[in-house]
Amino acid sequence: MKILVIGGGGREHAICHALSLDESVTALYCAPGNPGIAGVAELRAVDALDPDAVAKLAAELGADLVIVGPEAPLVAGVADAVRAAGIAVFGPSKAAARLEGSKAFAKDVMAAAGVPTAEAFVCSTPEEAARALDAFGPPYVVKDDALAAGKGVVVTEDRDDALAHANACGRVVIEEYLDGPEVSLFALSDGTTVLPLQPAQDFKRVGDEDAGPNTGGMGAYSPLPWAPENLVADVLERVLQPTVDELRRQGTPFVGLLYAGLALTKRGVRVIEFNARFGDPETQVVLPLLKSPLAQLLLHAATGTLGAVEPLQWHDGAAVTVVLAASGYPGTPRGGDRITGIDEAEMTDAVTVYQAGTATNDAGELVASGGRVLAVTGRAADLASARDLAYAALGRIELPGGHHRTDIAAKAISGLISVP
Ligand code: AMP
Ligand code: GLY
């Protein structure tokens, strides 16, 4: 099978890495890719936001399957164009991707499907925003209605800050604060059948102990030793299946990766958000643990035959990934700093360094070119060993001005996470 992956971040590196281990893959292309992905796939240049250009490239390459990694191409209609060209595509249509692209649309789908989520108001004026903030009280949760790469959300005790964010965004969703540990659960969907993967936890804030602003994600681990035993079955029944059923009922079937960001609250599981693609950096821990060959699974999802798939197989043990971010992130990241030590960090098969914001400079050196630069994953028999491996590997990498969290998976290992 010939596969074209669209995107060029750490998530696409993890997807390509997993596909490169699947014997049924005879050719693997990634567009535009990055220097790390070039180690496992052949790179092609493309404007990933141009649906016709992507469809044309897929046809030229004779791709049997196109996998769209990031949200922006999905929202731009890339999957629609590829599908219209008669090529199987793993990734939802523009209409179904609104589940991620518009928080207000996601709330409407959840209401129609009876899916538990935070109560919310959609507000377009300062007066409406003020009323909504006062209806819930602190802590305040204000979300930009548009795509914001995980950075459009402000959670604060300060009413003035909450109001200022609402006014700066224009249309916002203001919602009830959900307390309880967060879970990221990915599921493959062919529009009808839903196949959940193993849950992970992401670290959204930039600093240790969840200090500082939100980011795209600073680290992740899987599995979750503290998760209730029936979590996946419960979320499948109450969240994932009803959402997929509702989208199909609306005439916009969801084909691709449905990512539920969940809070396990006192009153049960609640959806924080949906994404229409693999999460980053959770993918960098979930896919290394997946034993079932990935290409076949994604092809089944893309062609409506997920119901025929055998139960998924997982490696024993755990994985931890730590993100190395560039100076300035999550504000404006500084580009051009040289990255060294990746080969030394990948000391065994149990460590993989996934590249995200990297580029090659004129001298042929690897340099930072984005906010999140690398995700360093360790895989081991248990969470504590996986964490030690990831941090030991990260310690061998140099990036001037680079920063990372030091507490990824620490609370889970110490038994400090509990479900209220
Ligand atoms: P989102 O982009 O919706 O995933 O939000 C980013 C992060 O903000 C989430 O991962 C949570 O940590 C936090 N957050 C979002 N919504 C809520 C909420 N209703 N209650 C508490 N925290 C939230
Ligand atoms: N890890 C959060 C996201 O991918 O949106």
Side-chain angles (χ1 to χ4, degrees):
M1 169 174 17
K2 290 186 189 169
I3 301 186
L4 169 63
V5 176
I6 300 301
R11 159 190 43 221
E12 287 75 36
H13 194 173
I15 292 170
C16 287
H17 190 266
L19 291 171
S20 73
L21 302 175
D22 183 334
E23 285 169 4
S24 71
V25 179
T26 52
L28 181 58
Y29 303 96
C30 184
N34 69 33
I37 298 173
V40 286
E42 230 180 274
L43 302 192
R44 287 288 188 276
V46 80
D47 175 359
L49 298 181
D50 181 341
D52 292 334
V54 173
K56 189 162 159 265
L57 176 64
E60 276 166 21
L61 295 172
D64 302 298
L65 174 66
V66 175
I67 299 163
V68 184
E71 59 273 27
L74 293 167
V75 170
V78 163
D80 306 70
V82 175
R83 214 166 269 132
I87 300 169
V89 54
F90 182 80
S93 66
K94 182 175 180 163
R98 286 170 67 215
L99 203 55
E100 169 163 5
S102 165
K103 303 242 182 219
F105 176 74
K107 287 288 187 193
D108 289 344
V109 170
M110 285 189 267
V115 169
T117 184
E119 277 183 53
F121 295 107
V122 179
C123 307
S124 304
T125 67
E127 294 70 34
E128 282 173 11
R131 252 198 316 273
L133 292 174
D134 294 335
F136 293 125
Y140 303 104
V141 181
V142 182
K143 303 185 172 188
D144 194 341
D145 186 45
L147 270 187
K151 296 191 283 184
V153 178
V154 164
V155 181
T156 176
E157 296 279 339
D158 188 318
R159 188 176 178 281
D160 291 340
D161 288 353
L163 205 52
H165 184 60
N167 294 344
C169 294
R171 194 163 122 115
V172 291
V173 175
I174 292 181
E175 63 180 41
E176 159 199 19
Y177 178 77
L178 299 173
D179 81 28
E182 286 183 34
V183 173
S184 299
L185 184 62
F186 300 163
L188 309 178
S189 169
D190 65 4
T192 303
T193 299
V194 183
L195 195 60
L197 305 187
Q198 186 169 291
Q201 191 176 49
D202 176 25
F203 293 74
K204 285 265 169 62
R205 302 285 184 137
V206 70
D208 285 356
E209 298 289 330
D210 294 330
N214 269 317
T215 68
M218 293 298 289
Y221 66 92
S222 179
L224 311 176
W226 47 268
E229 207 179 317
N230 60 350
L231 176 69
V232 174
D234 187 38
V235 175
L236 175 61
E237 184 189 323
R238 298 179 60 213
V239 174
L240 301 167
Q241 192 68 57
T243 300
V244 166
D245 290 345
E246 174 60 23
L247 285 167
R248 189 178 62 249
R249 199 191 60 76
Q250 293 188 10
T252 53
F254 189 97
V255 176
L257 195 290
L258 179 58
Y259 159 162
L262 306 161
L264 307 191
T265 74
K266 280 197 279 301
R267 295 188 292 146
V269 63
R270 295 284 181 277
V271 174
I272 295 178
E273 64 160 353
F274 282 126
N275 293 313
R277 37 89 195 161
F278 281 100
D280 188 344
E282 297 98 311
T283 304
Q284 291 91 312
V285 289
V286 172
L287 290 187
L289 293 171
L290 179 67
K291 203 192 249 177
S292 306
L294 183 64
Q296 293 300 332
L297 284 174
L298 302 189
L299 183 66
H300 276 296
T303 54
T305 54
L306 214 43
V309 163
E310 301 283 311
L312 296 182
Q313 306 258 321
W314 295 91
H315 292 289
D316 291 335
V320 174
T321 199
V322 183
V323 167
L324 178 60
S327 172
Y329 182 78
T332 307
R334 187 172 79 197
D337 289 303
R338 199 164 164 214
I339 307 155
T340 51
I342 289 183
D343 289 345
E344 292 76 7
E346 288 185 317
M347 45 205 162
T348 73
D349 283 352
V351 173
T352 310
V353 178
Y354 297 108
Q355 298 191 24
T358 64
T360 311
N361 68 11
D362 292 342
E365 297 162 341
L366 191 68
V367 295
S369 70
R372 292 183 293 168
V373 179
L374 306 174
V376 181
T377 299
R379 186 155 69 81
D382 57 59
L383 209 49
S385 316
R387 177 175 193 275
D388 289 346
L389 256 180
Y391 276 106
L394 183 68
R396 299 180 176 206
I397 297 174
E398 294 279 344
L399 169 67
H403 61 97
H404 63 84
R405 279 183 66 155
T406 66
D407 63 345
I408 303 302
K411 279 197 178 134
I413 291 165
S414 309
L416 294 174
I417 303 184
S418 56
V419 180

